Amino acid sequence: MPPERIYTSEDYRNLPEGQRAELIDGKLYRLMFLKAQKIQTYFLSMMKYQFTFLMV
């Protein structure tokens, strides 16, 4: 198994425009897009609504 890559601040600066990520201790964490977060929030709120409806 190859060793895990250690990312640098230069790797972070060279990300494509609009790519959201965080560099923490040599690891690059790509962040979810805002649209995906909105979709996730919508589905979670719908699940909460359905659960509340079933409990009545």
Side-chain angles (χ1 to χ4, degrees), residues 22-44:
E22 289 187 14
L23 179 63
I24 303 172
D25 293 331
K27 293 183 181 180
L28 197 59
Y29 297 93
R30 298 185 194 281
L31 303 177
M32 291 178 60
F33 290 98
L34 185 58
K35 186 175 182 178
Q37 289 174 336
K38 286 181 179 180
I39 293 170
Q40 182 183 26
T41 302
Y42 171 77
F43 281 116
L44 289 175

Side-chain angles (χ1 to χ4, degrees), residues 5-56:
R5 180 174 177 191
I6 298 174
Y7 292 91
T8 65
S9 57
E10 186 168 339
D11 294 319
Y12 178 78
R13 284 191 297 270
N14 289 328
L15 288 173
E17 183 70 30
Q19 175 91 32
R20 296 183 64 196
E22 289 187 14
L23 179 63
I24 303 172
D25 293 331
K27 293 183 181 180
L28 197 59
Y29 297 93
R30 298 185 194 281
L31 303 177
M32 291 178 60
F33 290 98
L34 185 58
K35 186 175 182 178
Q37 289 174 336
K38 286 181 179 180
I39 293 170
Q40 182 183 26
T41 302
Y42 171 77
F43 281 116
L44 289 175
S45 66
M46 291 303 293
M47 289 173 58
K48 181 179 177 183
Y49 172 77
Q50 291 295 329
F51 182 74
T52 304
F53 180 74
L54 292 174
M55 297 300 291
V56 174

